[in-house]
Amino acid sequence: MSVIDALAARLRSELGSGQVLTDRQQLRTYECDGLAQYKVVPALVVLPRSAAQTAAVVRACAEAKVPFVARGSGTGLSGGALPHAEGVLIVTAQLRSIVSLDPADERATVQPGVINLQVSEAVRDFGYYYAPDPSSQQICSIGGNVAENSGGAHCLKYGFTTNHVTGIEMVTPAGDLVRLGGAAPDTPGYDLLGAFVGSEGTLGIATEVTVRLTRLPETVRTLLAAFHSTDQAGAATSAIIAAGVVPAAIEMMDALAIEAAEAAVHCGYPAGADAVLVVDLDGPSAEVRSQFDEVTRLCAEHGAFETRVAADDEERALIWRGRKSAFAAVGRISPDYIVQDGVIPRTALPEMLRRIAAVATEHGVRVANVFHAGDGNLHPLVLFDDAVPGEAARAEAVSGAILDLCVEFGGSITGEHGVGADKTRFMPRMFTDDDLDTMQLLRCAFDPFALANPGKVFPTPRLCGERPGRHQGAHPLQVAGVAEVF
Amino acid sequence: MSVIDALAARLRSELGSGQVLTDRQQLRTYECDGLAQYKVVPALVVLPRSAAQTAAVVRACAEAKVPFVARGSGTGLSGGALPHAEGVLIVTAQLRSIVSLDPADERATVQPGVINLQVSEAVRDFGYYYAPDPSSQQICSIGGNVAENSGGAHCLKYGFTTNHVTGIEMVTPAGDLVRLGGAAPDTPGYDLLGAFVGSEGTLGIATEVTVRLTRLPETVRTLLAAFHSTDQAGAATSAIIAAGVVPAAIEMMDALAIEAAEAAVHCGYPAGADAVLVVDLDGPSAEVRSQFDEVTRLCAEHGAFETRVAADDEERALIWRGRKSAFAAVGRISPDYIVQDGVIPRTALPEMLRRIAAVATEHGVRVANVFHAGDGNLHPLVLFDDAVPGEAARAEAVSGAILDLCVEFGGSITGEHGVGADKTRFMPRMFTDDDLDTMQLLRCAFDPFALANPGKVFPTPRLCGERPGRHQGAHPLQVAGVAEVF
């Protein structure tokens, strides 16, 4: 009996046979996440129904030395939940209970399979919501949000997932159930909770998540400003921030992104706009009113030739529909495209756009730009036609060059989609070997056999214990010759 | 030649003799930090002048297996910078350069010895400041703030140090200089930066810190509300937060704390007040104005019998003088006192105060209460007279019982002062052995020989490699029998 067959038999007896999938057709359902360019069929899929069952699965994997990958809703865009061909895919979709709601202390505790938007829906009547809002919030899970430290358009004002998670229960790669953090705003000891959030499944699996609830704002107002150039829109963004206004969101789209959105959803953005800003202001009415006047004035000062204000929720939704549809909409103007995700300092935005345009021209590829302009998080969409020989390669080259530019400007190779399977090769462009070795210290401490989501995040699969360094000859791992052991 | 003498000789030759102190009288200057109840004279004090020198000192310690403790300004209140009798105290006071200011991207990079308030002063003319404001901000160092994840009265709105540090350069316990984080709001890989902030010197020494700058608010208004009971003041606090107002600060003082402050600084708080709230509102004028009316109304609704508004900066300073002097002021009404630091859910405040009063009465000890009420961070001041036999022990018992209550209410044994040397024994009351073992994984990964600030934060000094667990018999450390090696 193979290792996987033995594991399947054990898990069937421990969890019940309905929760263990081995049928090839069923396994294929899970072969990729939101980044469909990578596909791997897992050896086994398990759907635990409790924290204890999740721990049992991981413990069985640890004992059999079989790799495991956790998967929430599978909406990630970096291949973080890409299965391992000889491993177990642990799907958290059945861990979908809301454990407790405590609006008075602004906390909710949920299982990892709970959908992002369900948290907000559960507390809306108390006047609260859960702030992090990835575009996929109607389907993505809290567990996946924690793994990838998900962001969204409103992270400019409200921060990322890591700023809204105060405690978790998790299964370590050894199969132990432990708690990190708690309900208090700050706990003593190491902030392992912060390290776990965004660790992309390489440190274990969250089985319960305590999140901070945010008071629903008294007012939300949305404004659309049209400019003749992205330079103008970028300058307006910097001026708004410099004025001390922190909008809930400042989104930018360039001419090509606008063209795509118009073709797809007929959002009716001002004709002739080569760039638009979508600005959300929220908070107490008095504050929003005065900030609104200031934002309008600053946009006009920096060249906005038309400014529209949403008069009601319907008009608000229409303005946002153009922005939210942008990724899918480029399908209307290009058969294939790569969604890139990078970060630059906000002030580098105009320069960065010129550099992206130059690289695109050089390779004969079109790039549509959509971004969370307020915090410098770019989502360039690199367009290509896979049917034309060489185009995919050129698009890849442009996409990679954009990340190099992000690093050159002192930014980051990912803002919110994560490294996953997709960007491991870019990590050395951002970090030195010493920096990466330092991260590896943590991974090896939690997961000495590299069973938790192996092959993700980190570039070369350096073995634990193999790390050379100043402790060489004296490091306990090496004193004992462990480097040779495994 | 002893190990320490050899180390001193090596460091003198590498750093220059003026930067290495061995004279007993000079060493005694460093025998304690802000928590003077513990005193240990270090074997050696070294004052590096650069990151490279700091790395050289740590490397020399690592090679000689000599423990080291980092010290900033020495204002910490948990004994985190308490020296090690056989170790080196590494003082960062001479690392005091501002490396770069970048107000346009809202970042500043400073060396660890730079004083907290100096950062704000350096960027004030650009319209910015550095938000975390411990009471000691005129003398405490950024490096110390990072080590202890320092807070302050305005953390309610602005968060702790960890929310304002985006990148560091640090020396690992092996003596390597590495970078964690960067200028971007979020970087890929593990958030080791977040784990480092608040690690109290047990993971290494920061040699450069990049912090987020915050826009100076257009307006700050301060209000003092007087109540007949702490119950009323607690209910008013909850009502303010529930209304969706986030004041920059909500501070509470009880009758005994008010009495002490009056005796010390004659702050002129309303006569007959058994509790006062000091509320700071900051932001755009329009917002502050409307919030101000709401806060005033909510205080009145919950029993405030007098509300004062600071008409100018002078009156603002007077209101705050009472609060800021409170710790020192209790010296006027008691020869000795313990400053406690704990956290509870905000809504538990009235119940917690009754329980503290009951414990105090039971032990015949007086407790003055001062707290950051908005985020449930208590600073009970336990009064005693060391000259009266048994009083110190009773005060210690009350002080400890308060922490037990914090844990019972689902809070934390420290809000902002850290665990240091003082609270290691309380860690097991808050965390299970599994939780603590999980933290130990990180410490051992960074510092297998426990040279970085040993004896702090964690209770039993469990040796690295000694940790039992599910990997037992299979964990590489144990496969190789390392547990026996050291």
Side-chain angles (χ1 to χ4, degrees), chain B residues 16 45 54 62 66 82 95 144 150 154 193 211 230 253 280 316 373 383:
Chain B
V45 170
T54 310
V66 168
L82 184 72
L95 295 164
S150 302
H154 296 83
L193 171 64
V211 300
T230 49
M253 295 166 68
D280 257 9
R316 246 200 104 220
L383 313 187

Side-chain angles (χ1 to χ4, degrees), chain A residues 160-484:
Chain A
F160 292 81
T161 299
T162 194
N163 303 115
H164 296 269
V165 173
T166 66
I168 55 168
E169 177 192 64
M170 64 164 284
V171 181
T172 69
D176 293 317
L177 261 185
V178 299
R179 287 194 175 270
L180 306 179
D186 186 41
T187 54
Y190 300 133
D191 182 13
L192 288 176
L193 171 62
F196 184 86
V197 177
S199 63
E200 307 197 25
T202 63
L203 297 180
I205 303 178
T207 49
E208 211 174 272
V209 183
T210 299
V211 300
R212 177 176 287 123
L213 300 174
T214 302
R215 191 82 192 163
L216 282 166
E218 189 182 315
T219 312
V220 183
R221 291 189 80 179
T222 301
L223 164 155
L224 177 83
F227 297 84
H228 288 303
S229 73
T230 49
D231 272 19
Q232 289 177 339
T237 302
S238 281
I240 291 166
I241 302 286
V245 177
V246 184
I250 309 184
E251 302 285 299
M252 196 197 296
M253 295 166 68
D254 71 1
L256 198 52
I258 296 168
E259 180 192 328
E262 288 295 348
V265 298
H266 313 293
C267 45
Y269 285 176
D274 284 317
V276 295
L277 287 183
V278 175
V279 183
D280 257 10
L281 292 165
D282 70 5
S285 305
E287 172 188 355
V288 169
R289 206 175 309 121
S290 85
Q291 291 189 342
F292 196 83
D293 294 343
E294 189 158 12
V295 169
T296 310
R297 184 178 58 75
L298 289 168
C299 284
E301 270 181 32
H302 289 84
F305 66 86
E306 185 173 337
T307 303
R308 281 187 200 167
V309 181
D312 52 31
D313 282 355
E314 202 176 318
E315 287 188 22
R316 244 199 105 220
L318 186 66
I319 289 177
W320 271 101
R321 188 146 72 232
R323 165 62 187 86
K324 289 196 172 174
S325 70
F327 286 11
V330 294
R332 293 294 183 108
I333 59 168
S334 174
D336 302 286
Y337 62 94
I338 299 167
V339 179
Q340 193 44 285
D341 168 44
V343 181
I344 53 163
R346 191 183 49 247
T347 50
L349 220 137
E351 170 71 4
M352 177 71 175
L353 288 172
R354 277 189 290 276
R355 299 281 294 273
I356 291 178
V359 171
T361 304
E362 186 191 323
H363 288 79
V365 164
R366 290 187 303 166
V367 177
N369 287 293
V370 175
F371 21 75
H372 308 314
D375 47 16
N377 186 185
L378 315 173
H379 289 308
L381 299 150
V382 185
L383 314 186
F384 67 101
D385 184 350
D386 207 17
V388 178
E391 270 211 9
R394 290 209 304 278
E396 273 295 339
V398 169
S399 183
I402 289 173
L403 292 190
D404 285 337
L405 287 172
C406 288
V407 173
E408 184 186 325
F409 281 109
S412 166
I413 58 170
T414 169
E416 53 189 11
H417 296 173
V419 177
D422 192 38
K423 292 186 175 175
T424 55
R425 68 189 185 284
F426 291 97
M427 289 289 273
R429 303 192 196 178
M430 183 157 173
F431 298 104
T432 66
D433 279 355
D434 274 354
D435 294 342
L436 290 171
D437 281 348
T438 306
M439 292 184 197
Q440 206 66 1
L441 286 175
L442 181 63
R443 189 182 74 85
C444 290
F446 269 76
D447 185 19
F449 299 103
L451 299 177
N453 214 8
K456 311 293 168 65
V457 185
F458 297 104
T460 16
R462 212 187 280 265
L463 289 178
C464 297
E466 198 189 21
R467 176 180 185 262
R470 298 201 183 282
H471 277 313
Q472 196 154 33
H475 191 289
L477 286 168
Q478 285 159 348
V479 165
V482 174
E484 286 79 46

